[in-house]
Each structure stands twice: as C-alpha cells, then as structure tokens.
Amino acid sequence: EVQLLESGGDLVQPGGSLRLSCAASGFAFSSNAMSWVRQAPGKGLEWVSAASPGGGTTYYADSVKGRFTISRDNSKNTLFLQMNSLRAEDTAVYYCAKDEEMLYYFDYWGQGTLVSVSS
Amino acid sequence: QSALTQPASVSGSPGQSITISCTGTSSDVGSYNLVSWYQQHPGKAPKLMIYEVIRRPSGVSNRFSGSKSGNTASLTISGIQAEDAADYYCCSYAGRSTFTYVVFGGGTKLTVL
C-alpha cells in the first residue's frame, strides 16, 4: 500500500524558514518523480514543485521560485521542501504527491501538513 | 485566478448525470492529452479519478468518465450518489518550454440534492 506522510508544518513569522518532509512507503520511491501541491485555506489546489526520480531535475511554480527548494533522500525514501522567505500567501496545507510520470498527473497523495505564516 | 476555468458549483439529484467543464488554452489542455481530475472531500486529500483525459485508475467507479474537445475537458458523473458530493479539480500538464509546467482549475463543488 502506497503511503505518503508529510511533517514539518508549523506557525512561522513572515520572512522565516521551514522544512517540510514527506516519508514514502509502499512503492519504489527512487524510481518515481515526486511533487508538492498546496492548498490555501478555502482555496483550490496549486502545484508548487517537482523533483525527478534521482533529484537532479527540479521544477518550480513562479510563485515560489528562488525561495523554495525541493530535494529528496532516496536512501531514506523521503522528499523535502525547504521554504525560505516565507510570506503570508504561502499559508496553506502542503501535500506531497507521487507523480506517475513527472508532471503528468498525481496518483497518490499524502494527508498534508499545515504551514501558517503570520506575525 | 486559476489557470483553468471550472464552474464554481454544480448540483444534481441522485441518479442524475452531471458534467463539469474545465477550460484551458492551446498551451495546456489543447496541446496535451494529459488532463487529470481529482476528487476532494472536506478535510481529506485529493484522490485521482481520471488521468490522460479518459483513463480511470483501478478502483474508481465506471460512473466517472472524462473527455476533451479542443481547449475544454469535461468530467461526467453518471447516476450520481450521495458519496459523490465533493470538490472536483481538473489539472493539465502545460509543457516545460513555457515554464508553467502544471495548472489546476479553481475547483467545482458538487452538491447532491
């Protein structure tokens, strides 16, 4: 059974940093691209970032480019999202998702972790 | 403002069929057969319902079907049931040359009357 478990969400002040983690199990993690998708309170889904199976190729939404960094540790089946220079508009539930084919569609999702940016 | 346009809400009585539209552009929906649809119940994670425009993942009811014409994709739910009440999001691959990559619709709330 595929499982994705996010952690690391917290309340942080504007300008602060946070690192999210996503522990994966039940599939060949190192063979699959992975993405982060977020959802602001009461709003729709927004794709944030993706990493190739080996982590060497990454993509970012314009809204986070230069502030967020996606990475992965395939030896620990874990995906990360380093978030710097956080803004109020980054407040959202962040979902980790497994890409069936990088960027094409997301066949499994975690339960999400809440990031709140406020002073 | 979302990149793909969906109606904010649709409704229907049990047993009826409903269709949710998803309008993009020639740079996303119109260029690729890579439209997917996700169902999200309140407080839950999204669930893949349709991928590659028309394909259904294993375990998804055949009451759910997808289609596409030009820049508009559609999700049809036949014989809607109470448990189908949820938010539905369309999504499209948008290519790598435009640096957009993936776009979502704003979501459609399905109410089963």
Side-chain angles (χ1 to χ4, degrees):
Chain A
E1 179 192 8
V2 172
Q3 289 194 335
L4 299 170
L5 183 61
E6 303 93 337
S7 61
D10 204 348
L11 172 63
V12 61
Q13 292 188 340
S17 297
L18 210 54
R19 189 195 199 200
L20 305 184
S21 300
C22 170
S25 61
F27 66 101
F29 181 75
S30 61
S31 298
N32 285 270
M34 298 290 296
S35 285
W36 289 97
V37 178
R38 69 184 180 183
Q39 186 171 35
K43 302 297 184 182
L45 301 172
E46 179 189 15
W47 173 81
V48 172
S49 182
S52 62
T57 299
T58 58
Y59 298 104
Y60 299 93
D62 283 344
S63 58
V64 305
K65 196 174 301 181
R67 300 187 299 122
F68 290 11
T69 302
I70 190 171
S71 63
R72 57 193 297 163
D73 184 341
N74 286 346
S75 69
K76 296 183 179 178
N77 288 356
T78 304
L79 179 73
F80 302 102
L81 185 67
Q82 177 67 43
M83 303 185 295
N84 298 330
S85 303
L86 283 162
R87 307 166 179 167
E89 54 265 35
D90 295 319
T91 294
V93 173
Y94 284 73
Y95 294 101
C96 164
K98 172 180 169 290
D99 295 33
E100 171 54 27
E101 186 71 33
M102 192 172 187
L103 304 176
Y104 285 5
Y105 60 93
F106 313 107
D107 54 354
Y108 292 95
W109 299 63
Q111 285 304 303
T113 187
L114 177 62
V115 173
S116 295
V117 184
S118 175
S119 55
Chain B
Q1 185 175 351
S2 302
L4 305 179
T5 301
Q6 298 180 233
S9 64
V10 296
S11 63
S13 300
Q16 289 185 329
S17 294
I18 64 96
T19 296
I20 300 172
S21 62
C22 169
T23 301
T25 70
S26 57
S27 296
D28 39 64
V29 174
S31 286
Y32 307 96
N33 288 325
L34 290 169
V35 175
S36 51
W37 290 89
Y38 302 88
Q39 177 192 65
Q40 187 180 37
H41 287 107
K44 301 295 186 181
K47 175 187 176 183
L48 178 67
M49 304 301 285
I50 295 287
Y51 66 99
E52 294 176 353
V53 179
I54 61 171
R55 304 187 191 285
R56 251 187 337 269
S58 174
V60 172
S61 170
N62 59 9
R63 297 185 297 104
F64 291 81
S65 63
S67 63
K68 190 185 87 167
S69 178
N71 297 337
T72 298
S74 298
L75 173 71
T76 297
I77 310 175
S78 304
I80 60 173
Q81 301 174 2
E83 60 260 36
D84 298 333
D87 293 326
Y88 291 86
Y89 294 91
C90 63
C91 178
S92 177
Y93 176 67
R96 304 179 191 204
S97 60
T98 61
F99 303 103
T100 302
Y101 309 119
V102 177
V103 289
F104 278 97
T108 298
K109 183 180 183 66
L110 170 61
T111 300
V112 180
L113 301 172

Coordinates of all heavy atoms in Angstrom, one line a residue, chain A residues 39 43-45, chain B residues 2 4-10 20-21 37-38 40 86-90 104-110:
Chain A
Q39 N -2.6 24.0 -0.9 CA -4.0 24.4 -0.9 C -4.2 25.5 0.2 O -4.2 25.1 1.4 CB -4.9 23.3 -0.7 CG -6.4 23.6 -0.9 CD -7.3 22.4 -0.9 OE1 -7.0 21.4 -0.3 NE2 -8.4 22.4 -1.7
K43 N -9.3 27.5 -0.5 CA -9.0 27.8 -1.9 C -8.7 26.5 -2.6 O -8.8 25.4 -2.1 CB -7.8 28.7 -2.0 CG -8.0 30.0 -1.3 CD -9.1 30.9 -1.9 CE -9.2 32.2 -1.2 NZ -10.3 33.0 -1.8
G44 N -8.3 26.6 -3.9 CA -8.1 25.5 -4.7 C -6.6 25.0 -4.6 O -5.8 25.5 -3.9
L45 N -6.3 24.0 -5.4 CA -5.0 23.3 -5.5 C -4.1 24.1 -6.3 O -4.5 24.7 -7.3 CB -5.1 21.9 -6.0 CG -6.0 21.0 -5.2 CD1 -6.2 19.6 -6.0 CD2 -5.5 20.7 -3.8
Chain B
S2 N -7.2 31.1 -11.2 CA -6.7 29.8 -11.6 C -6.4 29.8 -13.1 O -7.1 30.5 -13.9 CB -7.6 28.7 -11.3 OG -7.9 28.7 -9.9
L4 N -6.9 27.2 -15.2 CA -8.0 26.5 -15.8 C -9.3 27.0 -15.2 O -9.4 27.2 -14.0 CB -7.9 25.0 -15.7 CG -6.5 24.4 -16.2 CD1 -6.5 22.9 -16.0 CD2 -6.3 24.7 -17.6
T5 N -10.4 27.1 -16.1 CA -11.6 27.6 -15.6 C -12.7 26.5 -15.4 O -13.0 25.8 -16.4 CB -12.2 28.7 -16.6 OG1 -11.2 29.8 -16.7 CG2 -13.5 29.3 -16.1
Q6 N -13.2 26.4 -14.2 CA -14.2 25.5 -13.9 C -15.4 26.3 -13.3 O -15.2 27.3 -12.7 CB -13.8 24.5 -12.8 CG -12.6 23.6 -13.2 CD -12.3 22.7 -12.0 OE1 -11.1 22.6 -11.6 NE2 -13.3 21.9 -11.6
P7 N -16.6 25.7 -13.4 CA -17.8 26.3 -12.7 C -17.6 26.2 -11.2 O -17.0 25.2 -10.8 CB -19.0 25.5 -13.3 CG -18.4 24.2 -13.7 CD -17.1 24.5 -14.2
A8 N -18.0 27.2 -10.5 CA -17.8 27.1 -9.0 C -18.6 26.0 -8.4 O -18.2 25.4 -7.4 CB -18.2 28.4 -8.4
S9 N -19.8 25.7 -9.0 CA -20.7 24.7 -8.4 C -21.6 24.0 -9.4 O -21.9 24.6 -10.5 CB -21.5 25.3 -7.3 OG -22.4 26.3 -7.8
V10 N -21.9 22.8 -9.2 CA -22.9 22.1 -10.0 C -23.7 21.3 -9.0 O -23.3 21.0 -7.9 CB -22.3 21.1 -11.0 CG1 -21.5 21.9 -12.1 CG2 -21.4 20.1 -10.4
I20 N -18.9 18.4 -15.5 CA -18.1 19.6 -15.0 C -17.1 19.9 -16.1 O -16.4 19.0 -16.6 CB -17.3 19.2 -13.7 CG1 -18.3 18.9 -12.6 CG2 -16.5 20.4 -13.3 CD1 -17.6 18.4 -11.4
S21 N -17.1 21.1 -16.6 CA -16.2 21.6 -17.6 C -15.0 22.2 -17.1 O -14.9 22.6 -15.9 CB -16.9 22.6 -18.5 OG -17.3 23.8 -17.8
W37 N -8.3 14.6 -13.3 CA -9.4 15.0 -12.4 C -9.2 14.4 -11.0 O -8.8 13.3 -10.9 CB -10.7 14.7 -12.9 CG -11.1 15.4 -14.2 CD1 -10.9 15.0 -15.5 CD2 -11.9 16.6 -14.3 NE1 -11.4 15.9 -16.4 CE2 -12.0 16.9 -15.7 CE3 -12.4 17.5 -13.3 CZ2 -12.7 18.0 -16.1 CZ3 -13.1 18.6 -13.8 CH2 -13.3 18.8 -15.1
Y38 N -9.4 15.3 -10.0 CA -9.2 14.9 -8.6 C -10.5 15.2 -7.8 O -11.1 16.2 -8.0 CB -8.0 15.6 -8.0 CG -6.8 15.3 -8.8 CD1 -6.4 16.1 -9.8 CD2 -6.0 14.2 -8.4 CE1 -5.3 15.9 -10.6 CE2 -4.8 13.9 -9.2 CZ -4.5 14.8 -10.3 OH -3.4 14.5 -11.0
Q40 N -12.0 15.7 -4.0 CA -11.6 16.0 -2.6 C -12.8 16.2 -1.7 O -13.6 17.1 -1.9 CB -10.7 17.3 -2.6 CG -10.1 17.5 -1.3 CD -9.2 18.8 -1.2 OE1 -9.5 19.8 -1.9 NE2 -8.1 18.7 -0.5
A86 N -18.6 16.4 -3.3 CA -17.2 16.7 -3.0 C -16.8 17.9 -3.9 O -17.6 18.4 -4.8 CB -16.3 15.5 -3.3
D87 N -15.6 18.3 -3.8 CA -15.0 19.3 -4.7 C -14.2 18.5 -5.8 O -13.5 17.5 -5.5 CB -14.0 20.2 -4.0 CG -14.8 21.1 -3.0 OD1 -15.9 21.5 -3.3 OD2 -14.2 21.5 -1.9
Y88 N -14.3 19.0 -7.0 CA -13.6 18.3 -8.1 C -12.6 19.3 -8.8 O -13.1 20.5 -9.1 CB -14.6 17.7 -9.1 CG -15.3 16.6 -8.5 CD1 -16.5 16.8 -7.8 CD2 -14.9 15.3 -8.7 CE1 -17.2 15.7 -7.2 CE2 -15.6 14.2 -8.2 CZ -16.7 14.4 -7.5 OH -17.4 13.3 -6.9
Y89 N -11.4 18.9 -9.0 CA -10.4 19.8 -9.6 C -9.9 19.1 -10.9 O -9.5 18.0 -10.9 CB -9.2 20.0 -8.7 CG -9.6 20.8 -7.4 CD1 -10.0 20.1 -6.3 CD2 -9.5 22.2 -7.4 CE1 -10.3 20.8 -5.1 CE2 -9.8 22.9 -6.3 CZ -10.2 22.2 -5.1 OH -10.5 22.9 -4.0
C90 N -9.8 19.9 -11.9 CA -9.1 19.5 -13.1 C -7.7 20.0 -13.1 O -7.3 20.9 -12.4 CB -9.8 19.9 -14.4 SG -9.9 21.7 -14.6
F104 N -3.9 23.9 -12.4 CA -5.1 23.4 -11.9 C -6.3 24.3 -12.2 O -6.1 25.5 -12.4 CB -5.0 23.2 -10.4 CG -4.3 22.0 -9.9 CD1 -2.9 22.0 -9.6 CD2 -4.9 20.8 -9.7 CE1 -2.3 20.9 -9.1 CE2 -4.3 19.7 -9.3 CZ -3.0 19.7 -9.0
G105 N -7.4 23.8 -12.1 CA -8.6 24.6 -12.2 C -9.0 25.0 -10.7 O -8.4 24.6 -9.8
G106 N -9.9 26.0 -10.7 CA -10.3 26.5 -9.4 C -11.1 25.6 -8.5 O -11.4 25.9 -7.3
G107 N -11.6 24.5 -9.1 CA -12.4 23.6 -8.4 C -13.9 23.8 -8.5 O -14.4 24.9 -8.7
T108 N -14.7 22.7 -8.5 CA -16.1 22.7 -8.6 C -16.7 21.9 -7.5 O -16.4 20.8 -7.3 CB -16.6 22.1 -10.0 OG1 -16.0 22.9 -11.1 CG2 -18.1 22.1 -10.1
K109 N -17.6 22.6 -6.8 CA -18.3 21.9 -5.7 C -19.6 21.2 -6.2 O -20.5 21.8 -6.8 CB -18.7 22.9 -4.6 CG -19.4 22.3 -3.4 CD -19.7 23.3 -2.3 CE -20.3 22.7 -1.1 NZ -19.3 21.9 -0.4
L110 N -19.6 19.9 -6.1 CA -20.8 19.1 -6.5 C -21.7 18.9 -5.3 O -21.3 18.3 -4.2 CB -20.3 17.8 -7.0 CG -21.5 16.7 -7.2 CD1 -22.5 17.3 -8.2 CD2 -20.9 15.4 -7.7

